[in-house]
Amino acid sequence: MKPLKELTKAELLALKESLTEEYKEAKEKGLKLDMSRGKPGLSQLDLSLPMLDVLSSKDEMKASDGVDVRNYGVLDGIPEAKQLMAEMMDTTPDHVIIFGNASLTIMYDTVARAMINGILGETPWCKLDKVKFLCPVPGYDRHFAITESFGIEMINIPLNSDGPDMDLVEKYVSEDPAVKGIWCVPKYANPTGISYSDEVVKRMAALKPAAKDFRIFWDNAYCIHHLYEEADKQDRILDILSECEKAGNPDMVFEFASTSKVSFSGAGVAAIASSEANLKDILKTMTIQTIGHDKINQLRHVKFFKNRAGLDAHMMKHAELMRPKFEAVLNVLSKELEGLDIGTWTTPRGGYFISFNALEGCAKEIVAKCKEAGVVMTGAGATYPYGKDPKDSNIRIAPSFPTPEEMHDAAELFALCVKLVSVEKLLQEM
Amino acid sequence: MKPLKELTKAELLALKESLTEEYKEAKEKGLKLDMSRGKPGLSQLDLSLPMLDVLSSKDEMKASDGVDVRNYGVLDGIPEAKQLMAEMMDTTPDHVIIFGNASLTIMYDTVARAMINGILGETPWCKLDKVKFLCPVPGYDRHFAITESFGIEMINIPLNSDGPDMDLVEKYVSEDPAVKGIWCVPKYANPTGISYSDEVVKRMAALKPAAKDFRIFWDNAYCIHHLYEEADKQDRILDILSECEKAGNPDMVFEFASTSKVSFSGAGVAAIASSEANLKDILKTMTIQTIGHDKINQLRHVKFFKNRAGLDAHMMKHAELMRPKFEAVLNVLSKELEGLDIGTWTTPRGGYFISFNALEGCAKEIVAKCKEAGVVMTGAGATYPYGKDPKDSNIRIAPSFPTPEEMHDAAELFALCVKLVSVEKLLQEM
């Protein structure tokens, strides 16, 4: 196929006519699919059903240290849950606090604590005139929603194939004391699926912030979420905690992870990993906010997964279910769009998303056309702070929830909409 | 027995000597009991063990509206959980949002939201020079810890046997726009066990606050926690939500409750009840903070308790376990202290605590002496804001965790310490 830009006006008009006809037919099919969110499919949730049987009324309800998991107490989590989540994050249990069912809540609360109490004795952010966060883009809309809700100014940082543009990150962080944080999804990033190179992680860990209370918000949401079993098809990233320690910045990072996309999305276990000083600081507020999180669910998770090997084996079952969905999308995109020069897309080796870049000024219209024909995508712009994609180009594709067959149909509709909107755009520009 | 105040110095000295001997012997017994917190006993936790069997891998994991409880979503709780918690709080499901495992966290977050976002469009409290809360005393230390952590000034309000001193409450609330809230435990109050009379509830609901964003923080923690089965031995309070509606103050109250002392203290279900406008306001922040709470645990609770009748029946089993512990304490206090005029105590019909008032200036010393002999009580002063009991008189007794036999021994030691410290006090004053 040749690039659409090389077509004559007459050819484009003819193409538009046939695509419009195709679109009309597609609409008549009455598709009704939602690929807006990174929501696990039902068969993925079924994988963890046996977890509901590992604790019954006949079981001893005690943690390894003898604590009754049914009662109040234990602010930081039972020892075996700390061990499990530490293994998941490639760190040690002394760096870990276990929370409730959602790492999103930990992130929100971590920003809230910084706003209200300040970090390690520094001025609470709510007392400052200006607080800024660096936001590698495209990125995760819920991160941006948190910072926006606190009135924190967000600065776009281009996300390259090996991580954020570190020249720019270093410049902002070292020069501007109002820059207090950066949102990172270091592995199988949301939405591009890229992972940070060792060099990027090391540069991140070696930042020399102007603000003492600058923190890296390291959302390791997809740390064990590979799509392939072969080791050489799996991304590996360096452990940010030990890299920060080595670089003399032990307190500079908050790492987050959860089992939301491992066990049950609504009923998993989430954790933060950080330095001893940071954890102590966090516990000071936590002891006011709660008497402890759900320890029964912590024990349930440990009994089911046992250890990192158990988690990894379980994730391979997820991979088997996810791979065909990703491949369905990628195959359709290749077949329908390759060579047309109207879009680029990522081919992630893990995570939950494929990121698509359309011709500038086309994303909103493509998403609207998909919706009109029954396929709901993540809103265009959502992958940027304030919902504003300056190029109106990026679209996040979330293949997890529909079946592979549905994903195939949805991808075909998506490719059709990309072509139709691109042709219209090219015609306008003539 | 005659009042110790009527004893001569010689009699007091002789008494001191024999009490000191008794105390020495008591210390040698090597008691090791903790009655510092309102922590359910193990046999109470056992009552809910069958809840672990109501959901297994073979069960359908759907809420009544068809939602898969394992997946993301449903910010306000599954319908049947809202129904159950509404019945528990004597209100309707449209007034309810379900949260995680702890009402304490809801309370903390409710104050945090007011600080950061403000309530219903009013100025965020963190932007104000001064925010004040009324604190009926003695009260719940964790309430006071929340307000203290946000730098909110706390004002002591005497708690009478029918509720807070409403003349004083009305005066503060109507005159001072900096007064933004009042902490209430309206039923079987922590620690006195008293319940608010209808008149107090009605006056509370009819407050005319100087501040538009004044809210009653109605911690209905012990709403179904009776000690006796007979209806005439159970306290009843009016539903604050409908009373506020009737009084033209529909938005003036946040009500909190949980199953922490019904099912499992660490793994229960908590809820807020409030007006439609308040709930909408709360959901605006919640949607940034979480994708939803643990719906599997919500379904588990509903399947186990079914409805209010199920809850009530279950609470009667708790009552059977709790009653002997309360009675053990009350019997010892009567036997050992009645007529001595060195202390008064409450005889609650529900809840988790007995409140003891020692002679002025004796509480700290009594608690210290108990601790020295192996019985840990709630720290003296804890029942007052800033941990400061102006009279150093109030002591909270939490009989739930030890066995009735242990409670008997602990109460004997406590009574002994009360006598010893009181005698010393009386001698000093001579």
Side-chain angles (χ1 to χ4, degrees):
Chain A
M1 285 192 274
K2 75 174 177 182
L4 292 194
K5 282 164 198 160
E6 294 173 15
L7 298 189
T8 63
K9 185 165 184 181
E11 285 171 323
L12 280 174
L13 282 170
L15 184 55
K16 181 183 169 184
E17 197 171 331
S18 72
L19 289 169
T20 305
E21 189 55 33
E22 261 188 78
Y23 180 68
K24 208 190 277 175
E25 283 162 22
K27 262 174 45 175
E28 279 160 10
K29 276 190 197 160
L31 283 178
K32 223 185 146 186
L33 292 171
D34 190 335
M35 41 178 197
S36 66
R37 305 296 323 172
K39 207 170 157 177
L42 300 186
S43 48
Q44 288 178 269
L45 299 172
D46 287 344
L47 294 174
S48 293
L49 271 180
M51 185 189 288
L52 295 173
D53 305 328
V54 298
L55 274 186
S56 81
S57 58
K58 287 175 190 62
D59 287 291
E60 226 203 346
M61 302 299 286
K62 286 197 172 160
S64 58
D65 59 356
V67 159
D68 192 312
V69 293
R70 302 169 301 179
N71 219 327
Y72 284 121
V74 188
L75 208 49
D76 55 348
I78 60 174
E80 55 266 62
K82 286 164 80 171
Q83 177 67 36
L84 182 73
M85 293 307 285
E87 290 181 19
M88 184 169 161
M89 291 187 275
D90 294 321
T91 185
T92 49
D94 54 314
H95 285 119
V96 174
I97 297 175
I98 308 292
F99 282 74
N101 71 327
S103 58
L104 186 73
T105 308
I106 315 182
M107 293 182 243
Y108 180 93
D109 283 4
T110 303
V111 177
R113 270 191 307 273
M115 294 295 292
I116 296 165
N117 305 112
I119 292 177
L120 286 179
E122 296 298 308
T123 309
W125 295 354
C126 71
K127 306 274 184 207
L128 302 174
D129 289 334
K130 187 63 113 179
V131 175
K132 301 175 191 173
F133 258 58
L134 305 184
C135 300
V137 287
Y140 178 33
D141 54 353
R142 290 190 185 271
H143 287 164
F144 305 151
I146 290 174
T147 21
E148 186 175 0
S149 83
F150 286 102
I152 293 172
E153 184 183 316
M154 294 180 279
I155 297 165
N156 293 359
I157 302 287
L159 183 71
N160 302 323
S161 62
D162 63 345
D165 178 334
M166 287 308 296
D167 290 342
L168 212 53
V169 170
E170 283 164 354
K171 193 175 146 58
Y172 275 114
V173 170
S174 64
E175 289 178 4
D176 187 352
V179 171
K180 298 292 189 189
I182 180 170
W183 287 118
C184 297
V185 185
K187 193 163 173 183
Y188 302 135
N190 177 353
T192 62
I194 67 106
S195 298
Y196 290 15
S197 70
D198 291 356
E199 196 206 330
V200 164
V201 176
K202 280 177 186 291
R203 285 178 73 178
M204 197 70 82
L207 284 170
K208 299 276 165 266
K212 261 195 193 173
D213 51 354
F214 168 84
R215 290 294 181 273
I216 300 165
F217 285 69
W218 197 254
D219 183 4
N220 212 347
Y222 308 103
C223 49
I224 56 172
H225 301 60
H226 311 287
L227 282 175
Y228 299 93
E229 188 153 7
E230 302 86 333
D232 65 343
K233 287 189 178 175
Q234 295 184 346
D235 291 357
R236 308 263 159 215
I237 59 165
L238 290 175
D239 168 34
I240 186 74
L241 288 182
S242 48
E243 290 305 320
C244 281
E245 275 170 29
K246 281 188 242 168
N249 285 323
D251 301 329
M252 202 172 60
V253 63
F254 295 128
E255 180 174 2
F256 310 94
S258 81
T259 68
S260 293
K261 291 181 177 92
V262 179
S263 58
F264 300 121
S265 321
V269 166
I272 195 170
S274 198
S275 69
E276 196 191 329
N278 282 335
L279 295 189
K280 254 182 148 168
D281 204 35
I282 291 167
L283 285 167
K284 266 197 286 181
T285 311
M286 270 181 78
T287 193
I288 309 289
Q289 193 177 13
T290 180
I291 309 179
H293 293 98
D294 183 344
K295 297 183 296 297
I296 294 183
N297 206 30
Q298 292 173 26
L299 186 59
R300 196 178 278 127
H301 275 72
V302 176
K303 282 200 145 195
F304 184 63
F305 290 119
K306 297 190 172 63
N307 50 32
R308 174 63 185 260
L311 285 170
D312 285 339
H314 187 81
M315 290 315 289
M316 280 306 111
K317 297 182 196 165
H318 278 282
E320 272 169 45
L321 296 167
M322 290 286 272
R323 226 163 33 229
K325 301 181 183 190
F326 273 75
E327 288 172 353
V329 176
L330 293 169
N331 288 341
V332 169
L333 294 182
S334 288
K335 184 167 158 267
E336 297 294 330
L337 301 180
E338 210 149 73
L340 296 186
D341 217 5
I342 53 173
T344 59
W345 56 92
T346 57
T347 53
R349 312 203 298 176
Y352 263 65
F353 304 102
I354 294 165
S355 177
F356 186 89
N357 282 322
L359 293 180
E360 283 193 27
C362 289
K364 275 211 171 79
E365 184 57 26
I366 291 167
V367 169
K369 277 231 168 352
C370 283
K371 191 175 179 187
E372 207 187 314
V375 172
V376 179
M377 322 270 308
T378 309
T383 53
Y384 281 75
Y386 311 106
K388 281 182 196 155
D389 174 0
K391 294 185 180 165
D392 185 25
S393 162
N394 187 251
I395 298 171
R396 184 178 84 164
I397 301 172
S400 55
F401 195 71
T403 66
E405 298 68 33
E406 289 171 332
M407 266 325 295
H408 175 86
D409 295 349
E412 285 202 326
L413 176 77
F414 174 73
L416 173 61
C417 294
V418 171
K419 284 191 272 187
L420 182 53
V421 173
S422 303
V423 167
E424 285 169 350
K425 169 88 177 167
L426 292 172
L427 279 167
Q428 271 170 28
E429 285 172 354
M430 275 186 160
Chain B
M1 283 193 273
K2 75 173 178 184
L4 294 193
K5 282 165 198 159
E6 295 173 12
L7 298 189
T8 63
K9 186 165 184 179
E11 285 172 324
L12 279 174
L13 282 169
L15 184 55
K16 183 182 168 185
E17 197 172 331
S18 71
L19 289 170
T20 305
E21 190 54 36
E22 261 188 77
Y23 180 68
K24 208 192 275 177
E25 283 162 23
K27 262 177 39 176
E28 279 160 12
K29 276 190 199 160
L31 282 179
K32 223 186 145 186
L33 292 172
D34 190 336
M35 41 178 196
S36 67
R37 305 297 320 172
K39 207 170 157 178
L42 300 186
S43 48
Q44 287 178 272
L45 298 171
D46 287 344
L47 294 175
S48 294
L49 272 180
M51 185 190 286
L52 295 173
D53 305 328
V54 298
L55 273 186
S56 81
S57 58
K58 287 174 189 64
D59 288 292
E60 226 204 346
M61 302 297 287
K62 287 197 172 160
S64 58
D65 59 357
V67 159
D68 192 313
V69 293
R70 302 169 302 178
N71 220 327
Y72 284 121
V74 189
L75 208 49
D76 55 349
I78 59 174
E80 54 267 60
K82 287 164 78 172
Q83 176 68 36
L84 182 72
M85 294 306 287
E87 289 180 19
M88 184 168 161
M89 292 187 274
D90 293 321
T91 183
T92 49
D94 54 315
H95 285 118
V96 174
I97 297 176
I98 308 293
F99 282 74
N101 72 326
S103 58
L104 186 72
T105 308
I106 315 182
M107 292 183 244
Y108 179 92
D109 283 4
T110 303
V111 177
R113 270 192 306 273
M115 293 296 292
I116 296 166
N117 305 111
I119 292 177
L120 286 180
E122 296 298 308
T123 309
W125 295 353
C126 72
K127 306 275 184 206
L128 303 174
D129 291 335
K130 188 62 114 180
V131 175
K132 300 175 191 172
F133 258 58
L134 305 184
C135 301
V137 287
Y140 178 33
D141 55 352
R142 290 189 185 271
H143 287 163
F144 305 151
I146 290 174
T147 21
E148 185 175 2
S149 84
F150 286 101
I152 293 172
E153 184 184 317
M154 294 180 280
I155 298 165
N156 293 0
I157 300 287
L159 183 70
N160 302 322
S161 62
D162 63 344
D165 178 333
M166 287 308 297
D167 290 342
L168 212 51
V169 170
E170 283 165 354
K171 192 175 146 56
Y172 275 116
V173 171
S174 64
E175 288 178 5
D176 188 351
V179 171
K180 299 294 188 186
I182 181 169
W183 286 118
C184 297
V185 184
K187 194 164 172 181
Y188 301 135
N190 177 352
T192 62
I194 67 105
S195 298
Y196 292 14
S197 70
D198 292 355
E199 193 206 330
V200 164
V201 176
K202 281 177 186 292
R203 283 177 74 179
M204 196 70 83
L207 284 170
K208 299 277 167 264
K212 261 195 192 172
D213 50 355
F214 168 83
R215 290 293 180 274
I216 301 164
F217 286 68
W218 197 255
D219 183 4
N220 211 346
Y222 307 103
C223 48
I224 56 173
H225 301 59
H226 310 287
L227 282 176
Y228 299 94
E229 188 153 7
E230 302 86 334
D232 64 342
K233 287 190 178 174
Q234 296 183 346
D235 290 358
R236 308 264 158 214
I237 59 165
L238 288 176
D239 168 34
I240 185 73
L241 288 183
S242 48
E243 291 304 321
C244 281
E245 274 170 30
K246 280 188 243 167
N249 284 323
D251 301 329
M252 202 172 61
V253 64
F254 296 128
E255 180 174 3
F256 310 93
S258 81
T259 69
S260 292
K261 291 183 178 90
V262 180
S263 59
F264 300 122
S265 321
V269 166
I272 195 171
S274 197
S275 69
E276 196 191 327
N278 283 335
L279 295 189
K280 253 181 147 171
D281 204 35
I282 291 168
L283 286 168
K284 266 198 285 180
T285 310
M286 271 181 79
T287 192
I288 310 288
Q289 192 177 14
T290 181
I291 309 178
H293 293 99
D294 185 342
K295 298 183 295 297
I296 294 183
N297 206 31
Q298 291 173 26
L299 186 58
R300 195 178 278 125
H301 275 72
V302 175
K303 281 200 145 196
F304 184 62
F305 291 118
K306 296 192 172 63
N307 50 33
R308 174 63 186 259
L311 285 170
D312 285 339
H314 186 82
M315 290 315 289
M316 280 306 110
K317 297 183 197 166
H318 278 281
E320 273 169 45
L321 296 167
M322 290 285 273
R323 225 164 33 230
K325 302 182 183 190
F326 273 75
E327 287 171 354
V329 177
L330 293 169
N331 288 342
V332 170
L333 294 182
S334 288
K335 185 167 156 267
E336 299 293 331
L337 301 179
E338 212 149 72
L340 298 185
D341 217 5
I342 54 172
T344 59
W345 55 92
T346 57
T347 52
R349 312 204 298 176
Y352 263 65
F353 305 102
I354 294 165
S355 177
F356 186 89
N357 282 322
L359 293 181
E360 283 194 27
C362 289
K364 276 211 169 78
E365 185 57 25
I366 292 168
V367 169
K369 277 236 169 348
C370 284
K371 191 174 177 186
E372 207 186 315
V375 172
V376 180
M377 322 271 307
T378 309
T383 52
Y384 281 75
Y386 311 106
K388 282 182 195 154
D389 174 358
K391 295 184 180 166
D392 185 26
S393 161
N394 188 251
I395 298 171
R396 183 178 83 165
I397 301 172
S400 54
F401 194 71
T403 65
E405 296 70 33
E406 290 171 332
M407 265 325 295
H408 175 86
D409 294 349
E412 285 201 326
L413 176 76
F414 174 74
L416 173 61
C417 294
V418 170
K419 283 190 272 188
L420 182 54
V421 173
S422 303
V423 166
E424 286 170 349
K425 169 88 180 168
L426 292 171
L427 279 166
Q428 271 170 30
E429 284 172 354
M430 276 186 159

